[in-house]
Amino acid sequence: MKKYAIYAGIFLTWIAVILFIDPRGEFSINDDWAYAHNARELSVEGRFFFSFWPAMTLVGQTLWSTVITEIFGFSLLNLRISTLILAVGLSLALFALFRQLSGSRKMGLLLTLILTGSPLLLNQSFTYMTEIPFLFCLTISVIGFYKFLTADSWIGYGVGLVFMIGALLVRQTALIIPLAFLIATLAKHRRHIRMLALSVAPALVGFLILAGYKQWRQSMGYALHNYSEVGT
């Protein structure tokens, strides 16, 4: 019961923060003017568009924000709201992860407040930048793979894989997830061939997705511009 009370407390704290800071306003913050181009084209024109500026994949974030803009209409405010929804979800996911790792609700809550209340994450929560969508997917993926490693949960493995793909479609640096999972699995199950195959699979999926993304983007006639490929 206390666990759910903490989740409710985190949610209500976010409501208070949002009311205090007030995300309203039709203006860009940092680089989100470039990301908003992609979102507007998909929301208003119904087609994928890739601005010259972004260095990341950006597909996952664009798809998510379009769900919001399809309901409430396109605006920079609604794009920020799509980020804020994920920021709340990120805090809840971080508490779940930190509680598992520390074995303590109090420590889990403290770590969650320290991280999500930091100037960097709090600032990014009120933008249409990629950090919050990326960290949301990354955290859920880590929780899933952690469940698989510690409790042989196939549901955890599936969740980890799905949200790893989601993170990759926001920023290609999400390759850190399957690589870390591979190292952790080898350290624990180095003699099991089946576990070895399961540990390699997410990394293969990740690299194939990025290779496919590159080909898909170029097939639509969009140059890669500033897109950061693996190795650069």
Side-chain angles (χ1 to χ4, degrees):
M1 198 68 181
K2 289 182 179 179
K3 178 179 69 174
Y4 296 110
I6 292 175
Y7 283 126
I10 292 173
F11 178 79
L12 292 175
T13 299
W14 261 111
I15 296 299
V17 169
I18 292 169
L19 291 173
F20 180 77
I21 294 179
D22 191 354
R24 290 177 297 177
E26 287 304 297
F27 50 82
S28 299
I29 301 173
N30 207 330
D31 286 342
D32 64 8
W33 59 270
Y35 313 148
H37 278 297
N38 293 42
R40 184 188 182 282
E41 287 295 319
L42 185 58
S43 177
V44 178
E45 303 297 334
R47 67 186 182 97
F48 272 101
F49 167 81
F50 294 95
S51 169
F52 74 95
W53 185 260
M56 65 290 293
T57 48
L58 206 61
V59 173
Q61 178 181 0
T62 304
L63 288 171
W64 161 246
S65 62
T66 301
V67 173
I68 304 301
T69 57
E70 283 293 317
I71 298 172
F72 301 105
F74 178 84
S75 70
L76 295 177
L77 169 60
N78 288 336
L79 294 182
R80 282 198 288 277
I81 287 174
S82 73
T83 306
L84 279 166
I85 292 171
L86 295 185
V88 176
L90 172 61
S91 292
L92 298 175
L94 284 173
F95 171 68
L97 178 62
F98 291 148
R99 182 179 59 82
Q100 290 181 57
L101 295 176
S102 67
S104 166
R105 292 194 185 100
K106 290 182 179 179
M107 181 59 69
L109 179 60
L110 176 62
L111 293 173
T112 299
L113 293 176
I114 289 173
L115 188 56
T116 59
S118 67
L120 179 60
L121 262 68
L122 191 60
N123 172 274
Q124 296 301 296
S125 298
F126 286 83
T127 73
Y128 186 60
M129 299 291 282
T130 59
E131 281 76 8
I132 299 301
F134 173 75
L135 287 173
F136 172 79
C137 290
L138 183 145
T139 303
I140 300 293
S141 181
V142 169
I143 290 173
F145 283 132
Y146 179 76
K147 283 285 189 182
F148 177 73
L149 284 171
T150 57
D152 292 326
S153 170
W154 286 101
I155 293 177
Y157 187 87
V159 168
L161 190 60
V162 168
F163 279 89
M164 178 204 79
I165 293 171
L168 275 172
L169 292 177
V170 178
R171 301 180 73 106
Q172 53 273 46
T173 46
L175 281 174
I176 189 66
I177 304 171
L179 295 179
F181 176 65
L182 173 60
I183 293 170
T185 307
L186 289 176
K188 186 175 182 181
H189 301 286
R190 63 172 66 93
R191 298 180 180 178
H192 293 75
I193 301 300
R194 184 175 69 93
M195 293 300 296
L196 177 62
L198 289 171
S199 66
V200 171
L204 290 177
V205 169
F207 281 103
L208 286 173
I209 284 175
L210 291 182
Y213 166 84
K214 179 182 175 181
Q215 294 300 318
W216 171 64
R217 178 165 165 171
Q218 290 177 319
S219 71
M220 292 190 295
Y222 291 107
L224 294 179
H225 295 299
N226 293 330
Y227 174 69
S228 296
E229 297 189 63
V230 175
T232 60

